Amino acid sequence: MSLFLVNVLLALAWSAVTGSFTFLNFAFGFVLAIFALSLIREQVGSIGYFSRARRVISLLLLFVYELVLSAWRVAVIVLSPRLDLKPGIFAYPLRVDRDFEITMLANLITLTPGTLSVDVSDDRRTLYVHAMDASDPDATRRDIAEGFERKIMEAFR
């Protein structure tokens, strides 16, 4: 049985025992179940479950950080008296190769202000990205590779 399913079942059991099926109580039960499973992780073979959860949380935190940072950059650009922008589309060579990973990378790029995923090539090796300020596309490529793409590969491989 999947440890995630066990975790959800333990959270549901917590909700049933407490008699409150609110989201907050379920989330608390989920965290308690994670703690309980971590105590017996060697016996149930859940070491990979917790490391993957940690990597997914790391990806989520990176997204929130990039979201705040890019929103601040866009606000500064929009509020500046002189718009010195060089918008453009650049090709980003993909290291991720699974459909799920490509979709997640494209969505994370699109959800951050100032960038937009335009298209994926037919051979699924190139992602075309529109940037509000594409004055240095190599730096943007490097940021994507060292940020979102690396965290996606760590979390889902």
Side-chain angles (χ1 to χ4, degrees):
M1 181 184 292
S2 168
L3 285 176
F4 179 73
L5 180 61
V6 171
N7 203 346
V8 169
L9 289 174
L10 286 172
L12 284 173
W14 170 261
S15 296
V17 167
T18 60
S20 174
F21 286 94
T22 64
F23 175 75
L24 189 59
N25 193 40
F26 179 79
F28 181 70
F30 194 83
V31 170
L32 280 177
I34 287 174
F35 179 70
L37 287 173
S38 70
L39 292 175
I40 59 168
R41 64 182 169 262
E42 286 86 16
Q43 288 81 9
V44 295
S46 62
I47 294 171
Y49 175 70
F50 293 105
S51 64
R52 172 166 284 181
R54 188 172 53 250
R55 293 187 302 241
V56 169
I57 290 171
S58 174
L59 173 63
L60 178 68
L61 292 175
L62 174 69
F63 171 68
V64 170
Y65 172 76
E66 288 290 333
L67 182 68
V68 170
L69 184 66
S70 61
W72 175 258
R73 287 179 186 158
V74 169
V76 167
I77 289 171
V78 169
L79 295 175
S80 66
R82 191 179 70 201
L83 291 177
D84 187 26
L85 294 177
K86 294 182 177 86
I89 296 176
F90 62 89
Y92 177 76
L94 292 170
R95 289 185 298 162
V96 293
D97 55 356
R98 292 187 256 173
D99 289 338
F100 171 74
E101 295 170 340
I102 294 171
T103 302
M104 178 168 279
L105 178 63
N107 286 332
L108 289 175
I109 290 171
T110 297
L111 287 172
T112 53
T115 56
L116 176 71
S117 300
V118 179
D119 195 15
V120 177
S121 65
D122 291 334
D123 63 355
R124 297 176 10 189
R125 293 178 186 235
T126 306
L127 178 67
Y128 296 98
V129 178
H130 177 273
M132 194 168 92
D133 187 13
S135 58
D136 191 4
D138 290 330
T140 307
R141 282 187 197 99
R142 190 173 44 255
D143 287 344
I144 293 171
E146 294 172 359
F148 288 142
E149 193 171 34
R150 181 178 60 86
K151 290 289 187 180
I152 288 171
M153 291 187 337
E154 286 175 3
F156 298 106
R157 289 192 177 183

